[in-house]
Amino acid sequence: MVNLFTSLPVPTQQQLRWQDLELGMFCHFGMNTFCDQEWGEGNDSPSLFNPVELDARQWVRTAKEAGFRYFVLTAKHHDGFCLWPTSTTDYSVASSPWRDGKGDIVQDCADACREEGIGFGLYVSPWDRHEPCYSDPQEYDKFYAKQLEELLTGYGTLVEIWFDGAGSEGREYDWTRIMNLIKQYQPDAMVFNMGAPTIRWVGNEDGLAPYPCWNTAESARVSMFSEASLKWLPETPRWVPAECDVPIRKDRWFWHPDEEHLLISLEQLMDIYYRSVGHGATLLLNIAPDSRGLMPEVDVNRVIALGNEIERRFGHSLAEMTGEGDKIELELPESLIIDDIIIMEDIAFGERVHDYIIEAQSGGEWVEIIQGSAIGHKKIDQFKPISADKVRLRVLGAIERPMIRRFAVFNSK
Ligand code: FUL
């Protein structure tokens, strides 16, 4: 969408809402969970799939308790095994012993997300290593469109559809048809990275956005396995914010036995938070349920600790304001020690600021504490604690009048 007054790219209402979600939980679960592998070849027997204690409410409650606002499930990973009883193939939960073949994990998650009041999204791998017609692009396009149609129509409102480029390097799918299905059935859903995406991959699986991470883009990388960038459809909006995906166990998207030592520390998770959400992007953190069908307690505790730490640091500001223009001055209630600042632009008006500094008044003197370029949806700056009675944002370069939605100071200690 283009703002008629400034011709600056601006987000759609749907993108605006999505950018406010900030924290999403990714959930990789499937045949791989039972085979101690990350990339099944599509020939593991459905008889292996039996998560006898599966409880999607435990998954989604974990997300909710940790302060996450959406949840994305792998409905189908590269091995082609479907977590819903699809009519397109018998390689699905319907052929497994789990709940005598009558279960539907997509449904369970959709229900749990609705109950907990968080957004629900689906990852549906275009690359399919099981489906025999994959080698016939036209036939597979029909097959994949049918799978998407089932998912887009059967499970209520979706917040996001995640198209993974892995394995599809160099392959063309019928993106016009796929985008039309999304427009028809889930017009509010974000589209991740392929077709005519409304959100893009940040380009790594470490959960880290570069700085600056502008919201505009013309392309993004296809996958971890190629430096090549994707061909997007011409109607792709120029405003395409980044999403940072990362697993909570180092480099492991699926659960494997005896890998608790790979769990990343709270300190590392906070670093990821500062460098994803704090760089204006969204964080999609993966927690993998185990072969019982439950998220392991250690992972649950770690992600809840992350949520608590975010709340402890940023739940209550010492002072905050909104403002417009090149200089925004915030008076603290008294002289206080500060060490973190959040700035948010009102991105409904576009990303206007490209050069700024922050100064603190300490003992009558203004001292520069931060220099930055992009602000966008959110910028979190952490710095050496300083005693201040006033803090000001000075915008040194902007395309249009700066519109600041929030300028807030914190003491995180
Ligand atoms: C990658 C995949 O190959 C991984 O298995 C995982 O799904 C990750 C989110 O994306 O491209």
Side-chain angles (χ1 to χ4, degrees):
M1 214 162 112
V2 170
N3 181 333
L4 293 177
F5 300 105
T6 65
S7 83
L8 258 183
V10 295
T12 59
Q13 285 305 315
Q14 289 85 347
Q15 287 173 316
L16 264 181
R17 276 205 298 272
W18 182 84
Q19 288 189 261
D20 268 344
L21 300 178
E22 294 185 357
L23 289 172
M25 184 172 284
F26 218 172
C27 178
H28 275 62
F29 186 70
M31 188 58 86
N32 290 330
T33 311
F34 298 85
C35 305
D36 197 4
Q37 66 199 5
E38 285 285 301
W39 272 19
E41 292 178 12
N43 48 20
D44 297 303
S45 165
S47 64
L48 300 171
F49 188 91
N50 198 11
V52 283
E53 294 176 56
L54 188 138
D55 181 5
R57 282 194 178 77
Q58 185 244 7
W59 308 355
V60 173
R61 244 192 342 257
T62 300
K64 177 70 183 237
E65 250 183 88
F68 285 59
R69 299 188 190 91
Y70 67 104
F71 181 90
V72 179
L73 173 72
T74 50
K76 180 183 84 163
H77 203 253
H78 309 322
D79 55 36
F81 186 77
C82 298
L83 298 188
W84 79 105
T86 175
S87 69
T88 57
T89 173
D90 55 8
Y91 200 50
S92 83
V93 283
S95 306
S96 78
W98 176 63
R99 294 188 189 163
D100 293 327
K102 296 193 179 60
D104 182 343
I105 299 175
V106 177
Q107 187 68 62
D108 284 11
C109 288
D111 292 345
C113 286
R114 208 162 306 120
E115 276 168 31
E116 293 293 344
I118 69 174
F120 182 45
L122 291 171
Y123 166 116
V124 196
S125 173
W127 184 34
D128 189 320
R129 306 180 86 185
H130 174 84
E131 177 48 38
C133 80
Y134 188 76
S135 54
D136 177 342
Q138 270 191 349
E139 269 309 298
Y140 183 73
D141 279 341
K142 262 195 256 161
F143 171 90
Y144 188 55
K146 181 76 192 134
Q147 292 197 324
L148 285 171
E149 202 174 323
E150 289 180 357
L151 293 169
L152 299 174
T153 58
Y155 299 95
T157 305
L158 298 176
V159 73
E160 179 169 331
I161 326 285
W162 221 90
F163 293 116
D164 188 345
S168 294
E169 296 82 4
R171 168 85 174 233
E172 299 266 336
Y173 301 97
D174 189 350
W175 285 111
T176 303
R177 177 183 191 162
I178 294 170
M179 291 309 302
N180 283 339
L181 287 173
I182 297 175
K183 266 183 232 152
Q184 186 180 352
Y185 298 123
Q186 295 286 344
D188 292 339
M190 291 296 109
V191 177
F192 179 83
N193 220 47
M194 295 176 97
T198 48
I199 56 175
R200 72 182 197 269
W201 185 41
V202 78
N204 61 67
E205 293 181 345
D206 305 316
L208 305 178
Y211 183 75
C213 182
W214 305 105
N215 285 288
T216 46
E218 249 115 67
S219 66
R221 270 178 72 191
V222 57
S223 73
M224 289 297 286
F225 315 99
S226 161
E227 283 302 318
S229 61
L230 278 158
K231 246 203 270 153
W232 288 342
L233 294 177
E235 65 262 31
T236 303
R238 279 192 55 216
W239 186 276
V240 203
E243 183 181 60
C244 305
D245 58 325
V246 59
I248 199 163
R249 294 188 183 195
K250 183 92 184 105
D251 297 332
R252 299 300 236 176
W253 294 99
F254 286 90
W255 177 82
H256 301 259
D258 306 321
E259 286 194 345
E260 287 75 15
H261 60 284
L262 295 181
L263 203 55
I264 56 187
S265 69
L266 178 58
E267 208 186 338
Q268 284 168 303
L269 286 172
M270 279 311 291
D271 183 52
I272 288 171
Y273 178 78
Y274 275 94
R275 292 160 72 185
S276 54
V277 175
H279 288 181
T282 296
L283 174 62
L284 186 64
L285 177 65
N286 187 75
I287 320 281
D290 59 22
S291 53
R292 297 171 302 168
L294 295 172
M295 287 184 172
E297 208 182 328
V298 278
D299 302 54
V300 168
N301 291 343
R302 185 63 48 87
V303 73
I304 289 175
L306 169 66
N308 290 343
E309 184 60 16
I310 294 170
E311 176 60 25
R312 191 188 70 73
R313 288 195 200 189
F314 301 117
H316 303 281
S317 65
L318 297 173
E320 64 178 271
M321 66 186 292
T322 57
E324 267 182 49
D326 293 342
K327 200 194 282 176
I328 287 158
E329 202 167 294
L330 176 62
E331 195 154 342
L332 274 60
E334 58 187 305
S335 205
L336 292 170
I337 307 279
I338 60 168
D339 61 11
D340 273 88
I341 289 182
I342 290 182
I343 324 173
M344 297 171 80
E345 274 188 88
D346 189 342
I347 54 172
F349 297 94
E351 197 165 27
R352 296 180 163 197
V353 176
H354 57 83
D355 189 8
Y356 74 89
I357 56 171
I358 299 174
E359 297 164 315
Q361 198 183 62
S362 186
E365 293 267 310
W366 284 104
V367 189
E368 184 178 304
I369 48 176
I370 294 293
Q371 278 183 5
S373 52
I375 297 177
H377 170 69
K378 185 173 268 189
K379 176 74 195 300
I380 309 180
D381 283 307
Q382 194 177 39
F383 45 88
K384 226 168 73 213
I386 180 173
S387 162
D389 32 49
K390 280 184 192 167
V391 180
R392 72 184 177 199
L393 166 70
R394 284 211 294 132
V395 176
L396 308 177
I399 297 171
E400 294 280 337
R401 187 172 170 77
M403 307 291 279
I404 304 300
R405 174 176 165 189
R406 187 173 188 217
F407 181 46
V409 298
F410 300 84
N411 180 343
S412 71
K413 294 296 166 314

